[in-house]
Amino acid sequence: MRVGLHALGIGDGARPEIVRAVARAAEAHGFGRLWVGEHVVMVDTPVSRYPYSDDGRIAVPADADWLDPLLTLAFAAAVTDRIGLATGVLLLPEHNPVVVAKQAATLDVLSAGRFTLGVGIGWSADEFTALGVPFAGRGRRTEEYLAAIRTLWRQDTATFEGEFTRFSKVRVNPKPVRDRRIPVVMGGNGDAALRRAATVADGWYGFNLSAAEAVERAAVLAGHRAERNRPADDFGVAVALSDGDPELLPGLARAGVTEVVVVEAPPATPDEATRWVAGLADRWLTPARA
């Protein structure tokens, strides 16, 4: 069981001295990965319901600082050597896939192959409107963009023809470090997200789930993987828990969860942040290694 940390990019976690302190301390204490999420746009009065809370509202204030996840992880990569780095998640249909392929491969090279591309289809119609991207069809768009990105990573001279993107005989370099591949994790808790993860991704990231919900979702995902002949040893299952209890780790491991992601907000000074990470490590990493 690996334990990741989702703590950077928002509020105090958006300040460079806190990113530096948390990243270094997380690596020193043995956290497996740093996860950073994304919203390009926030609005004061959203039209869309937030799907990861009971009241349909996101806990982050609309006026909070929210860093770009790829740039944040590039900064974290520069101050660390071993810890994994993951977007949790990048809202892929909001982006140009050719640009994402370039940026992700660049981060993978600069981090010596430590990067995982976590993606999701997005939930905020307001955000899509602001970016000039249709909200409808975003699931299909995500799957097509992933296929295009992998084509760009894999082929020296790449050609792709799809519903939403097309290019012919283009070169996008650098290539990812690990055999021209970057692991792709699909976010989202619903049935469609699980099917999509089993079909087009290398793993799944469930967010703000109770332990019971995580076990149930992992079982559904395992069924989708079995239908598609996707073995468990080639597929990561990461969950961020709403009920954050380290005693739940053995049961989650038996259910097929390979990583629990601790979602917390860091304190306001580097010294406090360093001690805070040490406390999280004492609480979470000892049970994970037992």
Side-chain angles (χ1 to χ4, degrees), residues 114-290:
R114 290 186 278 149
F115 179 53
T116 296
L117 178 62
V119 300
I121 70 169
W123 56 268
S124 172
D126 304 285
E127 190 165 15
F128 278 77
T129 298
L131 294 167
V133 178
F135 190 64
R138 64 196 186 281
R140 296 197 323 277
R141 187 182 294 269
T142 297
E143 293 182 19
E144 181 179 301
Y145 280 7
L146 276 179
I149 288 168
R150 284 166 165 156
T151 298
L152 290 163
W153 288 340
R154 184 176 61 251
Q155 296 180 2
D156 288 325
T157 305
T159 297
F160 187 90
E161 185 74 24
E163 178 184 0
F164 304 107
T165 190
R166 57 194 58 85
F167 44 83
S168 178
K169 299 179 182 178
V170 300
R171 292 180 179 270
V172 173
N173 289 314
K175 302 300 183 188
V177 170
R178 294 154 289 182
D179 194 27
R180 300 192 175 198
R181 294 181 66 257
I182 293 174
V184 173
V185 171
M186 184 64 62
N189 297 345
D191 291 342
L194 296 178
R195 286 192 296 271
R196 190 172 292 114
T199 303
V200 301
D202 305 299
W204 170 64
Y205 182 30
F207 191 77
N208 201 32
L209 293 165
S210 70
E213 290 169 333
V215 168
E216 186 273 335
R217 294 284 80 189
V220 172
L221 178 62
H224 290 312
R225 291 203 324 266
E227 291 172 0
R228 294 159 178 79
N229 296 315
R230 301 291 308 277
D233 59 1
D234 193 35
F235 197 93
V237 178
V239 296
L241 297 176
S242 59
D243 45 3
D245 184 348
E247 293 184 2
L248 299 168
L249 295 181
L252 291 167
R254 288 191 295 271
V257 174
T258 58
E259 179 173 357
V260 166
V261 183
V262 179
V263 182
E264 297 276 0
T269 72
D271 287 345
E272 288 176 316
T274 298
R275 291 192 294 270
W276 171 78
V277 172
L280 291 177
D282 287 342
R283 183 174 182 227
W284 284 98
L285 294 181
T286 300
R289 291 165 178 154

